[in-house]
Amino acid sequence: MEIRKVCVLGAGIMGAGIAQALAEAGYSVSLRDIEDRFVRAGLDGIKKNLDRAVSKGKMDRNTADAVIQRIKGTVDLKQAAADADLVIEAVIENMDVKKTVFRELDELCPPQTIFASNTSGLSITEMASVTRRPQKVIGMHFFNPVPVMKLVELIRGFLTDDETFESAKAVVEAVGKIPVEVKEAPGFAVNRILCPMVNEAIFVYSEGIASAEDIDRAMTLGANHPIGPLALADMVGLDTLLFVLEGLHRELGEAKYRPAPLLRKMVRAGYLGRKSGKGFYEYAK
Ligand code: 3HC
């Protein structure tokens, strides 16, 4: 099935990044969030990214204007989703919220519309179970920052059919990213590997083994990671990291996935990383 129009639900960092990548590839995109200010913030972020690309000479002004023209921001779910060939949800990481969204979409969209979730590790099969089209539901997991990161994990739910998989794969390739196929499992492949590593770095820090700066220096210079694990935790969001780790711990039941107590404490204190201005480092607002 050829995808022309894509609806992205959630205009946060991930949703806006996905909308930008799609629009740059020529797709017509509707970007929906529940409040006008979230939609505006998402669109402003995309404009800033495009302006930066223009000022660096990586994109011409006409192309940037055409990209932004292809994205329609709205708070109206029906208007956003009813004529989309593909809906990608990037709403908050909460199974109940995601199920509610999928239930609503199932009423609004024709039976051939594909539903994708950008979840960082929740069950695609469970989300699909509330629709009458579980074979047309798939995971499309993008990485932060979306305009830069090349990978998309494609996750088959228990009932996802081959046609849906191939359509999603074609979209990933059209936006210039590389898909990997992953069977459904908590945290999929990347977060199952990455988040315990970052968690371990938090244990190392909380045990006073090295300073935050030295842990990050060690992993950038000693393991060739682009940024250190604590800087990465701040970038991903400490709340998101904790959520992924809790999911791994709950579903896989092994002590090695236990979130570092310091991570919990920081999240409770509102230290969420870049988005709150404070995490393992401080950020100018
Ligand atoms: N949006 C758009 N472009 C961005 C960007 C953003 N948010 N952040 C950086 N860039 C661009 C810059 O404009 C720059 O472009 P240029 O090469 O054309 O000038 C390029 O990326 C490099 O940026 P910088 O020189 O400012 O900084 P770095 O060299 O540190 O690169 C980075 C930034 C690419 C983000 C690098 O730090 C990196 O690779 N970090 C690790 C990212 C990572 O691991 N992401 C996965 C997180 S896990 C996840 O998302 C899963 C989720 O489910 C939890």
Side-chain angles (χ1 to χ4, degrees):
M1 177 185 151
E2 204 202 332
I3 308 287
R4 289 203 187 88
K5 184 176 173 209
V6 186
C7 166
V8 179
L9 301 180
I13 293 174
M14 296 304 289
I18 295 167
Q20 180 185 332
L22 290 162
E24 282 184 22
Y27 290 99
S28 165
V29 182
S30 55
L31 179 61
R32 190 260 180 179
D33 211 315
I34 48 174
E35 284 186 40
D36 207 36
R37 62 192 169 112
F38 299 141
V39 176
R40 260 186 281 121
L43 291 173
D44 285 349
I46 295 170
K47 279 187 198 128
K48 265 192 208 129
N49 275 342
L50 295 171
D51 287 346
R52 202 169 52 220
V54 171
S55 67
K56 283 182 183 170
K58 292 191 161 177
M59 190 183 274
D60 62 60
R61 176 46 57 198
N62 288 344
T63 306
D65 290 345
V67 170
I68 205 74
Q69 289 292 322
R70 280 197 280 274
I71 307 174
K72 303 270 173 285
T74 181
V75 290
D76 185 334
L77 183 63
K78 188 169 179 193
Q79 192 190 11
D83 63 344
D85 305 306
L86 165 68
V87 181
I88 305 176
E89 74 76 20
V91 304
I92 59 163
E93 279 292 276
N94 176 304
M95 181 55 86
D96 290 339
V97 174
K98 289 187 191 283
K99 280 183 177 168
T100 303
V101 166
F102 274 19
R103 247 186 234 112
E104 284 173 0
L105 287 172
D106 205 36
E107 296 300 322
L108 292 173
C109 299
Q112 71 275 13
T113 306
I114 294 173
F115 295 166
S117 172
N118 178 55
T119 176
S120 48
L122 295 173
S123 167
I124 303 301
T125 306
E126 189 172 347
M127 291 174 214
S129 72
V130 302
T131 73
R132 285 162 296 185
R133 66 187 84 197
Q135 74 285 359
K136 301 211 108 12
V137 181
I138 189 164
M140 290 176 82
H141 184 209
F142 291 77
F143 292 82
N144 187 8
V146 178
V148 182
M149 302 298 286
K150 284 282 178 208
L151 181 72
V152 179
E153 286 181 306
L154 286 179
I155 302 104
R156 285 180 188 265
F158 191 63
L159 295 170
T160 310
D161 66 19
D162 289 341
E163 195 195 346
T164 300
F165 184 87
E166 291 307 324
S167 299
K169 188 174 168 205
V171 172
V172 171
E173 288 171 345
V175 301
K177 303 209 184 281
I178 313 292
V180 291
E181 182 175 349
V182 184
K183 292 207 181 80
E184 182 171 307
F188 311 136
V190 173
N191 281 340
R192 166 93 174 256
I193 299 167
L194 185 66
C195 294
M197 187 275 290
V198 174
N199 194 38
E200 200 59 35
I202 301 172
F203 273 111
V204 169
Y205 173 66
S206 64
E207 288 168 22
I209 293 168
S211 68
E213 289 79 4
D214 277 353
I215 289 168
D216 281 350
R217 202 170 287 133
M219 292 306 285
T220 49
L221 300 180
N224 254 6
H225 290 187
I227 54 173
L230 301 177
L232 182 61
D234 280 357
M235 202 186 91
V236 165
L238 271 56
D239 50 346
T240 302
L241 178 64
L242 178 59
F243 187 85
V244 173
L245 285 163
E246 280 175 336
L248 290 173
H249 194 216
R250 188 177 55 245
E251 297 241 356
L252 299 168
E254 290 184 48
K256 66 179 175 178
Y257 301 113
R258 179 175 73 100
L262 177 64
L263 175 62
R264 255 184 223 294
K265 222 182 270 178
M266 288 175 77
V267 170
R268 285 179 182 143
Y271 276 50
L272 305 182
R274 279 178 189 265
K275 62 183 162 192
S276 71
K278 272 184 180 168
F280 292 98
Y281 301 95
E282 291 205 4
Y283 303 89
K285 268 279 177 192

